[in-house]
Amino acid sequence: MRAVIQRVSEASVTIGGKKTADIKQGLLILIGIEDADTKEDVDWLCAKISKLRIFGDEDGVMNLSVTDVNGDIIVVSQFTLHAATKKGNRPSYIKAAKPDVAVSLYESFVQCLKNETGKPVQTGEFGADMKVALINDGPVTILIDTKNKE
C-alpha cells in the first residue's frame, strides 16, 4: 500500500458536482492498493498514520498526531499511486489491485482509522471521478509505502 499523507488546513471531495467530504484541520490521505497488499499492510499503515506526529505543538515543533489536535481525516482511493513510469510516457498500472481486492482493503483501512483515532473518517468514492481540493498546511506531505517498512 502506498499513502500520500497531507497535513491540511482544509480539504474536500466533490463527485458529480456534489461535495461528499469536507474537513478543516487534519489529514487528506490518498491511498493506493496493489495486488500484493494484505490486511497486515492495512493494520501497519493505519497504526503508522494515526500516530504520525506532523502537527505543531505549542513551540511549533511537529510533535502532535492528528488525534492529539482533534483533527479530521479524509481518505481517497487513488490507484495511480502505483503508476509504473520506467518505460515510455504512458504510465502502466499493472501493479494496482483490481476492485475485487482493493475495495475490501480500502474499506478495512478506513474502518481501522476510525477505530485507531476514535473519530469519523470521511471518504471519497472508490472508483469515482473525484475533484479533490485542499490547502496543504506547511506544506507537509509524507509518502509511506508498506513495502518499505524496514
Side-chain angles (χ1 to χ4, degrees):
M1 294 180 86
R2 287 185 182 155
V4 175
I5 301 105
Q6 297 180 84
R7 185 179 78 184
V8 299
S9 54
E10 61 184 73
S12 64
V13 177
T14 302
I15 303 170
K18 181 178 179 236
K19 195 174 280 190
T20 60
D22 191 18
I23 65 169
K24 295 299 180 197
Q25 179 187 35
L27 299 176
L28 171 66
I29 303 168
L30 306 175
I31 187 84
I33 300 165
E34 71 175 59
D35 286 329
D37 290 330
T38 65
K39 180 74 167 78
E40 180 182 307
D41 292 299
V42 168
D43 294 341
W44 182 88
L45 186 59
C46 174
K48 178 64 84 175
I49 291 173
S50 65
K51 294 173 183 65
L52 199 60
R53 299 183 320 174
I54 60 172
F55 291 89
D57 62 15
E58 62 278 351
D59 296 321
V61 178
M62 286 195 283
N63 232 358
L64 303 173
S65 71
V66 68
T67 307
D68 295 332
V69 299
N70 197 30
D72 296 317
I73 301 172
I74 296 179
V75 176
V76 175
S77 63
Q78 189 166 0
F79 75 94
T80 60
L81 291 178
H82 288 286
T85 57
K86 188 174 181 180
K87 290 184 178 181
N89 295 317
R90 183 176 179 193
S92 168
Y93 304 104
I94 195 124
K95 282 185 146 183
K98 305 295 182 268
D100 59 324
V101 171
V103 170
S104 65
L105 290 174
Y106 170 76
E107 290 173 351
S108 181
F109 177 73
V110 170
Q111 187 59 51
C112 182
L113 277 177
K114 288 177 184 177
N115 295 343
E116 286 282 326
T117 63
K119 294 187 55 86
V121 174
Q122 297 184 48
T123 64
E125 181 181 320
F126 191 93
D129 180 19
M130 296 174 270
K131 307 302 180 212
V132 179
L134 69 136
I135 298 177
N136 191 317
D137 181 21
V140 174
T141 302
I142 309 289
L143 175 63
I144 300 176
D145 190 326
T146 62
K147 301 306 182 248
N148 297 324
K149 291 178 203 164
E150 278 101 64

